[in-house]
Amino acid sequence: DVKVTQSSRYLVKRTGEKVFLECVQDMDHENMFWYRQDPGLGLRLIYFSYDVKMKEKGDIPEGYSVSREKKERFSLILESASTNQTSMYLCASNPGGLGSPLHFGNGTRLTVT
Amino acid sequence: EDQVTQSPEALRLQEGESSSLNCSYTVSGLRGLFWYRQDPGKGPEFLFTLYSAGEEKEKERLKATLTKKESFLHITAPKPEDSATYLCAVQASGGSYIPTFGRGTSLIVHP
């Protein structure tokens, strides 16, 4: 089974802090994704990566950056956390190609105070 | 622009009361339609992929069907442990492999 592991289940950070969310997948998948999920808004794509060191903006990249130095690891960085970035963050991966589903981690619930 | 609409937003059933969830979609060309289950505080769990109209997939009390415009997730004789949010997503053949997600149906099954 595919395993996507997010390093933290819960995080509490202060406004202005730099925040790192880490994600690791163990199935040698080409593609990795970061979403945030908010009530009533559904899943919104922040960034995705289709190869090491490659990244593409999703629908809501403002205030975020990403890093993919190794194939199995995809990091989401909040440069200066703000209260409106309080959310559930979900990492996902898939092997690439059309017709392949995403496999998600269990999420990181981030609260910015 | 690809669109996915799920209905109803919320559904309450009694244990054993069968029903269906709907996922209507508009895409330039369907490459795959995915169903996920999401429990509170957890990430979505992949259930099914459907590729072409007429296709059906089953898993325990769940059965997913697909037409050219919509997909149904039929739940037969549900149990309380089937309570979850069910998400639908579509992947178009237009070039991007990024799926478009619906907002989900929240299902509660009462004992």
Side-chain angles (χ1 to χ4, degrees):
Chain A
D1 272 354
V2 176
K3 189 156 187 181
V4 179
T5 303
Q6 294 184 231
S7 55
S8 304
R9 290 299 307 276
Y10 301 95
L11 274 179
V12 180
K13 297 292 182 181
R14 294 193 179 272
T15 301
E17 278 193 81
K18 191 169 186 175
V19 181
F20 294 85
L21 303 183
E22 306 289 342
C23 174
V24 177
Q25 51 96 0
D26 67 356
M27 284 300 291
D28 202 36
H29 283 174
E30 301 294 326
N31 302 326
M32 297 188 74
F33 307 78
W34 275 107
Y35 289 86
R36 64 177 284 177
Q37 186 175 35
D38 302 287
L41 296 178
L43 285 164
R44 292 183 291 169
L45 182 64
I46 304 171
Y47 268 97
F48 64 99
S49 169
Y50 52 89
D51 201 352
V52 175
K53 297 191 184 294
M54 305 302 289
K55 60 186 180 184
E56 294 283 348
K57 293 180 180 179
D59 300 317
I60 51 164
E62 296 78 18
Y64 304 94
S65 62
V66 291
S67 172
R68 194 167 180 200
E69 296 296 318
K70 294 185 177 181
K71 191 174 185 179
E72 67 271 19
R73 187 179 297 271
F74 193 35
S75 303
L76 179 69
I77 303 153
L78 285 67
E79 299 291 344
S80 177
S82 64
T83 54
N84 63 11
Q85 292 178 310
T86 291
S87 186
M88 169 70 102
Y89 289 87
L90 291 163
C91 177
S93 72
N94 78 352
L98 297 174
S100 58
L102 299 185
H103 297 270
F104 286 87
N106 265 334
T108 295
R109 173 74 64 184
L110 173 67
T111 301
V112 183
T113 61
Chain B
E1 182 180 332
D2 301 335
Q3 289 191 334
V4 179
T5 304
Q6 292 188 246
S7 61
E9 289 186 16
L11 182 62
R12 292 178 180 269
L13 299 173
Q14 289 297 125
E15 185 171 1
E17 179 187 2
S18 300
S19 188
S20 297
L21 312 183
N22 178 263
C23 173
S24 298
Y25 63 90
T26 305
V27 294
S28 55
L30 182 69
R31 179 64 71 171
L33 184 142
F34 312 105
W35 281 100
Y36 294 85
R37 169 193 170 124
Q38 186 175 22
D39 293 305
K42 294 191 174 182
E45 176 188 351
F46 169 67
L47 292 173
F48 305 111
T49 305
L50 300 168
Y51 295 101
S52 58
E55 189 174 1
E56 299 181 350
K57 294 271 179 78
E58 286 190 66
K59 181 178 181 179
E60 296 181 358
R61 295 176 291 282
L62 300 177
K63 179 179 177 181
T65 62
L66 181 64
T67 73
K68 289 186 178 180
K69 294 183 179 181
E70 58 193 349
S71 176
F72 291 94
L73 186 65
H74 307 278
I75 304 176
T76 302
K79 298 182 178 182
E81 52 262 43
D82 295 320
S83 298
T85 295
Y86 291 86
L87 298 171
C88 170
V90 297
Q91 190 180 56
S93 57
S96 169
Y97 48 81
I98 309 299
T100 300
F101 280 86
R103 294 189 178 183
T105 294
S106 174
L107 172 66
I108 297 175
V109 182
H110 297 283

